[in-house]
Amino acid sequence: MAVSLTEKAEFRLRAFLRSSASDNNDTKKGIRVSVQNGGCSGYEYGLEITSKPKPDDLVIQQGNVLIYVDAKSAPLLEGVIIDFVEGVMESGFKFTNPHASDTCGCGKSFKTDDGTPTGIPCK
């Protein structure tokens, strides 16, 4: 499986999907997970709500959440676990990536040992 969600992440994403639903019959609404060049370590994660999967998206259903994985990003997302953390200092989605050789302090970007693009310093 390319990407998996913890129970907390699935619960939080279901809530986001319900609150963003314009039509209760919108059966394709889900999240798209991707990786783009950028971030302070070289790659950064993308997470967005969508109801229009791209033709080459890999589709995974976990519980009641549809996950669309960008096909170009799939090799870098294989085995990624998405969690949701809540704390006094920060709350949000946390990615655990077995392919990451290093991550930035904010946890939103990573690099690999095989050809990571140049990072962009944090501001």
Side-chain angles (χ1 to χ4, degrees), residues 3-7 9-10 13 31 62 65 67 80-83:
V3 174
S4 61
L5 305 173
T6 65
E7 193 174 314
E10 182 187 347
L13 287 167
I31 60 160
Q62 186 169 341
V65 176
I67 304 169
V80 164
I81 299 169
I82 302 174
D83 192 11

Side-chain angles (χ1 to χ4, degrees), residues 59-78:
V59 182
I60 303 164
Q61 180 151 0
Q62 186 169 341
N64 293 321
V65 176
L66 281 172
I67 304 169
Y68 302 112
V69 178
D70 173 65
K72 291 178 185 173
S73 303
L76 291 169
L77 292 169
E78 185 66 37

Side-chain angles (χ1 to χ4, degrees), residues 18-110:
R18 272 195 309 270
S19 68
S20 70
S22 57
D23 180 356
N24 290 337
N25 294 323
D26 196 355
T27 58
K28 292 189 177 193
K29 185 160 289 247
I31 60 160
R32 175 174 288 112
V33 183
S34 62
V35 172
Q36 295 95 26
N37 291 352
C40 51
S41 293
Y43 289 121
E44 65 184 338
Y45 298 105
L47 189 63
E48 65 180 316
I49 294 175
T50 185
S51 57
K52 294 181 170 81
K54 294 180 181 175
D56 59 347
D57 280 348
L58 305 172
V59 182
I60 303 164
Q61 180 151 0
Q62 186 169 341
N64 293 321
V65 176
L66 281 172
I67 304 169
Y68 302 112
V69 178
D70 173 65
K72 291 178 185 173
S73 303
L76 291 169
L77 292 169
E78 185 66 37
V80 164
I81 299 169
I82 302 174
D83 192 11
F84 189 82
V85 295
E86 293 182 89
V88 175
M89 296 298 287
E90 69 176 327
S91 296
F93 292 99
K94 178 184 175 194
F95 294 78
T96 302
N97 189 336
H99 301 287
S101 60
D102 196 16
T103 59
C104 67
C106 67
K108 305 291 185 220
S109 71
F110 67 100

